[in-house]
Amino acid sequence: MDNFRNFDRQTGFLLPPSVDDWLPESHLARFVAEVIDGFDLRTMIGSYRGSGSAAHHPRMLLGLLVYGYATGVFSSRKLERATYDSVAFRFIAANDHPDHDTIASFRRRFLNEIEALFVQVLLLAREMGVLKMGTIGLDGTKIHANASRHSALSYEHAGKIEAQLKAEVADLMAKAEAADADDIPDGMSIPDELARREERLRKLVEARAKMEARAKERHGRELAEHEAKRAARAAKTAATGKKPGGKPPEPPTEGPLPNDQINLTDEDSRIMPVAGGGFDQCYNAQAAVAAGSLLVVAADVVQAPNDKRQVEPMLDKIGALREELGDPETLLADTGYFSAANVEACKKAGIDPLIAMGRQPHHPPLAERFEEAPPAPENPTPVEAMAHRLKTPDGKKLYALRKHTPEPVFGVIKSALGFRQFSLRGLEKVRGEWSLMTMAWNLKRMFVLAAV
């Protein structure tokens, strides 16, 4: 006699099944749905006209997006497929199946509103007791743009192609006007060839105009910095009576540089160095992470390939949360963020900086690891005070938290979840998508911390 449990795929349910019975009580999908049910989504709901066919509720669509990003499903088509294949997605969608166009349109339409929910998640984490704004680790990572680097053009190369296309258009016009068409190759359609080249010319002219506008903006910024440096040298000369050492600062070059780049697919993205060597079309994603909880408390996306100018903007984002979340005490960052101006900005914001002043060896000698800290300098500048603190045992121990704070977050997001490329294009849109990704990470992390 067979000792197997009976299974039957043909007989229908005697009573309608409840999606609430599909998942165990302790499941991430339940947690995401409960948190989103508590969000204030009146702005999203009020933007629907209420006419035509009934729309999918914003809470359900937002739940699909957040749970998708928390589990490594980012594509709208894959999210649609998951509402059929995955019990967890079926639970969030209440056994409904919004199509991929609806999901993609919702994501594009409400990026700003989704970005505003980032703070609501942090407030909830504070209420749950899993977020403490003590030590904050700041870091950046390169994330690929939704564009190929082969679609990028330099200002100089764009000019060469523009000249080539103009010559080809003139040649095609001459062929079209010629009475004898014997020299026209078989299969060539002159109107089609002309339309193709004129379209490419239009795009190139627009691209060069944008590069010229960028160059004008850059020149204004660099000119202001140049004048500030000259004024500082003049003030130092007046104070000491001696001419400062070194060469005086060179004035910035006006106009586009030959190697200025633009990408025809995503013009806001930039060619950036990537880990492992080489260059690719990327954005620089920033995250400030709370030590211990590993919750992201501030996030941004920038076009600069280095992190030198990102301290003050991130301090502003962290400072905006002080009233609700508390005061951070220490900011940890690697040598890419170091400058005297950044150290002073931290002090001005009431945060003690611990920013590496140079690359640290991975395996320092034993004597160096346990050497006594030098005496504290008298009347130190902010940089000197930080440099001394980095050499003390307490400072070394605190700075060592940096490797265990933002870097694991990036590692999980990029390697475990697979978020290595933005789905959207344009700086403002990828900022919204990065907020969605970090919000999903925070919810997943809160679920783990609450279970501990």
Side-chain angles (χ1 to χ4, degrees), residues 22-285:
W22 292 359
L23 289 176
E25 287 297 324
S26 179
H27 195 282
L28 177 61
R30 285 186 183 274
F31 180 73
V32 169
E34 289 171 3
V35 170
I36 290 177
D37 284 345
F39 281 163
D40 181 2
L41 302 184
R42 285 176 294 181
T43 303
M44 291 185 185
I45 295 170
S47 66
Y48 286 84
R49 293 180 299 173
S51 59
S53 58
H56 292 285
H57 201 284
R59 292 194 191 280
M60 185 264 280
L61 295 173
L62 179 61
L64 286 178
L65 279 175
V66 172
Y67 185 73
Y69 274 76
T71 55
V73 184
F74 315 114
S75 162
S76 57
R77 292 181 182 273
K78 290 182 179 179
L79 287 170
E80 178 189 0
R81 196 178 309 130
T83 63
Y84 293 94
D85 300 342
S86 167
V87 173
F89 280 98
R90 273 181 175 264
F91 171 83
I92 290 176
N95 210 22
D96 203 350
H97 311 284
D99 61 69
H100 60 273
D101 283 337
T102 299
I103 297 171
S105 297
F106 177 83
R107 178 169 53 185
R108 287 194 304 268
R109 179 180 178 184
F110 294 112
L111 269 180
N112 291 334
E113 288 78 3
I114 293 173
E115 192 171 357
L117 295 175
F118 181 86
V119 178
Q120 291 192 38
V121 173
L122 293 177
L123 292 174
L124 176 62
R126 183 73 171 179
E127 290 178 10
M128 292 172 59
V130 297
L131 173 60
K132 294 182 179 179
M133 294 281 285
T135 300
I136 304 294
L138 175 62
D139 207 352
T141 186
K142 306 298 191 302
I143 295 181
H144 293 288
N146 190 2
S148 170
R149 70 176 185 273
H150 300 295
S151 298
L153 283 174
S154 68
Y155 186 79
E156 183 179 40
H157 189 55
K160 292 178 181 178
I161 296 178
E162 183 179 350
Q164 176 186 335
L165 288 172
K166 286 180 178 179
E168 290 176 355
V169 167
D171 184 52
L172 287 169
M173 293 292 292
K175 290 181 184 295
E177 292 174 0
D180 186 6
D182 292 341
D183 59 340
I184 299 177
D186 293 338
M188 175 186 283
S189 170
I190 290 182
D192 290 346
E193 296 295 330
L194 274 172
R196 189 178 299 115
R197 281 157 178 77
E198 287 172 351
E199 177 64 15
R200 289 191 66 191
L201 267 173
R202 183 187 65 78
K203 290 183 178 180
L204 283 171
V205 170
E206 289 179 357
R208 282 170 63 86
K210 289 174 182 176
M211 282 191 274
E212 289 165 359
R214 284 183 194 172
K216 186 176 181 181
E217 180 183 351
R218 180 185 63 207
H219 180 260
R221 184 176 64 251
E222 291 178 349
L223 190 61
E225 293 174 356
H226 171 72
E227 294 299 330
K229 290 178 181 178
R230 286 188 59 190
R233 285 176 64 90
K236 189 173 182 180
T237 302
T240 62
K242 296 181 181 179
K243 185 178 180 181
K247 294 182 179 179
E250 294 288 336
T253 304
E254 191 172 0
L257 302 176
N259 59 349
D260 282 353
Q261 300 255 342
I262 193 170
N263 191 286
L264 299 180
T265 304
D266 184 357
E267 64 186 48
D268 288 345
S269 62
R270 298 289 187 269
I271 294 284
M272 297 184 183
V274 293
F279 296 83
D280 216 328
Q281 203 74 32
C282 295
Y283 286 97
N284 186 355

Side-chain angles (χ1 to χ4, degrees), residues 287-336:
V289 182
S293 65
L294 299 188
L295 294 173
V296 178
V297 297
D300 198 6
V301 177
V302 297
Q303 297 166 306
N306 62 63
D307 301 322
K308 194 75 72 180
R309 297 178 181 272
Q310 309 317 318
V311 170
E312 291 192 50
M314 294 301 286
L315 287 175
D316 291 340
K317 286 180 174 288
I318 296 170
L321 302 172
R322 282 186 165 182
E323 186 174 343
E324 295 90 353
L325 303 180
D327 294 328
E329 299 170 359
T330 306
L331 181 75
L332 311 177
D334 62 25
T335 186

Side-chain angles (χ1 to χ4, degrees), residues 269-418:
S269 62
R270 298 289 187 269
I271 294 284
M272 297 184 183
V274 293
F279 296 83
D280 216 328
Q281 203 74 32
C282 295
Y283 286 97
N284 186 355
Q286 300 284 310
V289 182
S293 65
L294 299 188
L295 294 173
V296 178
V297 297
D300 198 6
V301 177
V302 297
Q303 297 166 306
N306 62 63
D307 301 322
K308 194 75 72 180
R309 297 178 181 272
Q310 309 317 318
V311 170
E312 291 192 50
M314 294 301 286
L315 287 175
D316 291 340
K317 286 180 174 288
I318 296 170
L321 302 172
R322 282 186 165 182
E323 186 174 343
E324 295 90 353
L325 303 180
D327 294 328
E329 299 170 359
T330 306
L331 181 75
L332 311 177
D334 62 25
T335 186
Y337 291 90
F338 173 71
S339 73
N342 287 341
V343 174
E344 291 172 1
C346 290
K347 287 292 186 181
K348 186 177 180 181
I351 300 175
D352 288 331
L354 274 182
I355 306 174
M357 301 176 65
R359 290 192 175 274
Q360 297 180 329
H362 289 288
H363 305 287
L366 190 64
E368 182 179 327
R369 287 177 57 197
F370 293 98
E371 67 181 357
E372 293 184 4
E378 295 182 3
N379 301 320
T381 64
V383 173
E384 291 172 343
M386 186 188 73
H388 175 263
R389 191 182 179 196
L390 283 167
K391 294 178 181 179
T392 63
D394 289 342
K396 290 178 180 179
K397 184 178 180 180
L398 188 56
Y399 181 76
L401 291 177
R402 187 194 65 81
K403 293 183 179 179
H404 309 291
T405 305
E407 292 187 7
V409 175
F410 289 145
V412 173
I413 287 176
K414 296 178 74 173
S415 296
L417 299 181

